[in-house]
Amino acid sequence: MSQTMAAAARDHLPRTREEQRHALVEAIHLFAALGYSEGIAGHISVRDIENEDAYWVNPFGLDFHQVTVDDLLLVGNEGVILAGEGELNPSVDPIHGELHRARPDLVAFAHTHSMYGKTWSSLGRKLDPITQDACALYQRHGLYSQFLGLVDARREGKAIVEAMGEGTAVIMQNHGFLAGGRSIGEAAWLFIVMERAAKSQLMAEAAGNPLKIPHDVALDTGRALAKIEFAEKQYRNLYDSTCGRR
């Protein structure tokens, strides 16, 4: 990636709490436009820029299309709401709270019940490197291989964290996808890459036996695709073309 492109991507990273909250709402609206919302399920969170022990997240019961900056909740330790007047989804802190506490290297996490994500998750398998784009996920996502109903216990959140390992995403069996990133844009983009990879692999396996990219080649390709500037630029391009320039 050129220095000019990298600088342009960095220009979109939030520098204030207000910019961060607006960026979170943009990601939520993009997911809505892409059809990733499923009723009242799903949440995207970002660690607060001013208080690293807290994170912002969309409230329970409000459709992705309708979320505004004023609707966001600031959540602290043990799921305590520090700011905002909405209701917190019971699954949010057991998942996002545990992730934010366990992964200080990642700033944001996205989880929804998107169509191809939840469909692929029913197979109880990781995604394969069958395309160049899917290499971005190769050995960077884990599998939480059980379903115990609605996630409302911290022990399950900790198990999800463990399943993610040192990667940046996890397939939650019979549930859906979850992706993290060093920025809101990177987390959202990786989730989108996962959703598209699932669609691609489901189509390829329906037609035949897709060929996997060799291990070393998939690793090298994945490393090249894993730059935050690369994710930010692609995320911003998709947001602008889908939701309009801000």
Side-chain angles (χ1 to χ4, degrees):
M1 179 177 287
S2 69
Q3 292 183 347
T4 301
M5 184 179 293
R10 286 195 299 272
D11 286 343
H12 290 292
L13 295 177
R15 294 179 175 84
T16 66
R17 174 181 275 183
E18 195 63 20
E19 288 181 357
Q20 185 182 54
R21 294 169 72 213
H22 278 283
L24 177 56
V25 170
E26 283 185 343
I28 293 168
H29 288 173
L30 176 59
F31 275 29
L34 295 175
Y36 292 171
S37 57
E38 180 73 21
I40 58 176
H43 11 86
I44 306 177
S45 69
V46 62
R47 184 176 294 111
D48 183 35
I49 206 166
E50 296 181 10
N51 178 3
E52 293 187 354
D53 293 327
Y55 59 90
W56 294 96
V57 70
N58 52 299
F60 183 56
L62 191 61
D63 187 89
F64 277 19
H65 294 83
Q66 300 173 354
V67 176
T68 69
V69 170
D70 292 337
D71 295 316
L72 298 176
L73 302 178
L74 180 63
V75 183
N77 290 331
E78 301 300 320
V80 174
I81 297 177
L82 304 177
E85 299 180 355
E87 183 180 356
L88 184 66
N89 187 317
S91 295
V92 162
D93 202 58
I95 298 175
H96 292 256
E98 293 300 326
L99 284 163
H100 281 292
R101 285 184 282 274
R103 295 295 303 271
D105 56 318
L106 301 179
V107 170
F109 297 94
H111 164 64
T112 81
H113 298 178
S114 54
M115 179 57 68
Y116 295 102
K118 64 185 178 184
T119 302
W120 180 265
S121 76
S122 71
L123 302 177
R125 296 165 49 198
K126 293 182 183 180
L127 291 157
D128 294 324
I130 63 169
T131 66
Q132 174 177 299
D133 298 318
C135 289
L137 302 165
Y138 186 56
Q139 295 199 341
R140 295 182 66 207
H141 71 294
L143 172 65
Y144 175 60
S145 58
Q146 57 184 322
F147 179 77
L148 303 175
L150 300 177
V151 179
D152 58 5
R154 294 196 180 280
R155 64 180 181 276
E156 189 170 7
K158 293 179 185 297
I160 292 169
V161 170
E162 185 177 356
M164 180 184 283
E166 297 181 358
T168 53
V170 62
I171 296 171
M172 300 162 66
Q173 186 173 296
N174 303 108
H175 192 159
F177 290 165
L178 187 151
R182 293 162 289 182
S183 68
I184 296 170
E186 184 178 48
W189 178 250
L190 184 60
F191 186 96
I192 292 166
V193 170
M194 287 185 75
E195 177 75 0
R196 291 175 171 176
K199 180 179 181 180
S200 175
Q201 189 161 352
L202 286 166
M203 293 172 64
E205 292 188 356
N209 296 311
L211 303 177
K212 295 180 185 180
I213 295 171
H215 170 75
D216 290 343
V217 177
L219 278 180
D220 288 343
T221 305
R223 292 191 194 101
L225 296 174
K227 297 178 181 178
I228 187 172
E229 296 92 344
F230 193 78
E232 279 289 332
K233 184 61 177 176
Q234 293 189 100
Y235 167 76
R236 179 52 47 187
N237 285 343
L238 183 60
Y239 178 86
D240 289 346
S241 63
T242 304
C243 301
R245 292 180 179 274
R246 60 181 177 182

